[in-house]
Amino acid sequence: MELVQQINTATLPQHLAIIMDGNGRWAKQKGLLRALGHESGTKSVRTTVESCAKLGVKNLTLYAFSTENWNRPKLEVDTLMKLLISSLKKEIKTLQSNNIKLNAIGNLTNLPSNVQKELQEVIQKTAENTRMTLTLALSYGAREELIQAVKKISNKVKNNIISEEAIDESIINQHLYTHNLPDVDLVIRTSGEHRISNFLLWQIAYAEFYFTDVLWPDFSEDHLYEAIISYQKRERRFGKTSEQIIP
Ligand code: IPE
Ligand code: IPE
Ligand code: MG
C-alpha cells in the first residue's frame, strides 16, 4: 500500500509547522555552494506545499528565515532574499491553482523593501483563497513575537482598553503574529537537529514533534507522509490519562 493511503484524512494536523533545515549541509556534501542548497530547497517547499493542500491540511507554516539568520554572512542573506523574491514571483501560480492563501509572520519591516513589496502583492492576490493558509515565518523570532505582544497588551492596559484581570490565553493569542491561526499540532524539523531555534514557542505548547535526519532539499512527499503517519499513531492526552481518552 502506498504511504499516502495510510493517512487518515479525518485526523490530519490542523496546523503543521516545519523547520526547513539542512540546505547548507546538503550543498556541502555535494561540493556545491550553500546558495545552491537553498535553491534546491525551494523545490521541497513546492512539493510540500502542494502535497499538504491536496491532503487537506488547513494551515502550513514554514520557517524560512529567523531573526538570528540576520547574523549570517551578508552574501548568504542577500542570496536568501533574492531567492525569496524569485520564488514569490514564480510560485504565485502554484498558490492560485491550488487555492492557497499566503500569510507571513515575523518582523517583516526588517526585510528589504523589494521583498516586502513582493510579499504584500502575493498576500493580497491570494487573500480570498480558502483551501489552505500557507504562512511564511520571515525575520521571525518567537521571543520577539512575545515581546511585541507584551508591549501591545501593556499599552492597552495603560489606556484602559483592557483590564489586567482580563489577560488570559485568548488575549495573548490575539496579540501574536499568529492571531488568526490555530495552535500547532505537529512540528517537523529536518536535518537531524533536535531543537526549536526560537520558532513558535507559545503556539507549540502541546504540539507533537517529528525529527528526521533527511536534509531539507531531499525532503519528499513520502517523507511528509511518514511524518503525518507517525503523528496519527500518537495518543495526545493533554494532561489526561489514557483511559480518559479511550474509555
Ligand atoms: C535552512 O538551511 C535554511 C535557513 C536557515 C535559511 P541551513 O542554511 O540552516 O542549512 P545548514 O543547517 O547550514 O545545513
Ligand atoms: C532555523 O534553522 C531557522 C530556519 C530554518 C529558517 P537554523 O539553521 O538557523 O538553526 P540553528 O542556528 O542551527 O539552530
Ligand atoms: Mg541550519
Side-chain angles (χ1 to χ4, degrees), residues 93-108:
K93 268 193 262 156
T94 316
L95 298 180
Q96 297 295 35
S97 64
N98 287 286
N99 192 13
I100 299 166
K101 174 180 170 163
L102 187 74
N103 177 40
I105 55 171
N107 192 343
L108 305 178

Side-chain angles (χ1 to χ4, degrees), residues 19-27 34 38 63-66 69 72 76 80 189 191 193 195 215-217:
I19 304 175
M20 312 183 288
D21 199 9
N23 293 349
R25 277 162 286 166
W26 182 91
R34 290 180 62 87
H38 295 309
Y63 203 6
F65 194 86
S66 70
N69 288 147
R72 291 194 179 191
E76 177 156 347
L80 285 164
R189 183 169 188 151
S191 89
E193 306 298 354
R195 55 177 174 263
L215 302 173
W216 179 250

Side-chain angles (χ1 to χ4, degrees), residues 122-210:
V122 180
I123 289 173
Q124 201 202 326
K125 282 184 179 157
T126 60
E128 304 301 321
N129 291 350
T130 54
R131 193 190 200 180
M132 181 176 87
T133 298
L134 167 64
T135 300
L136 296 182
L138 292 167
S139 188
Y140 175 89
R143 287 188 169 180
E144 198 174 74
E145 179 181 34
L146 288 167
I147 292 166
Q148 66 80 38
V150 170
K151 283 184 181 163
K152 278 188 196 148
I153 295 168
S154 58
N155 212 335
K156 287 186 185 173
V157 171
K158 197 170 70 191
N159 293 308
N160 294 316
I161 297 167
I162 49 173
S163 69
E164 189 187 317
E165 293 69 40
I167 300 172
D168 58 7
E169 286 192 16
S170 149
I171 294 277
I172 293 179
N173 272 324
Q174 286 164 34
H175 291 83
L176 297 175
Y177 299 142
T178 52
H179 55 88
N180 43 11
L181 298 173
D183 274 355
V184 174
D185 294 307
L186 173 63
V187 177
I188 299 175
R189 183 169 188 151
T190 58
S191 89
E193 306 298 354
H194 296 181
R195 55 177 174 263
I196 290 301
S197 304
N198 204 10
F199 189 41
L200 303 173
L201 295 179
W202 170 275
Q203 301 87 338
I204 59 169
Y206 251 110
E208 296 293 327
F209 290 87
Y210 183 88

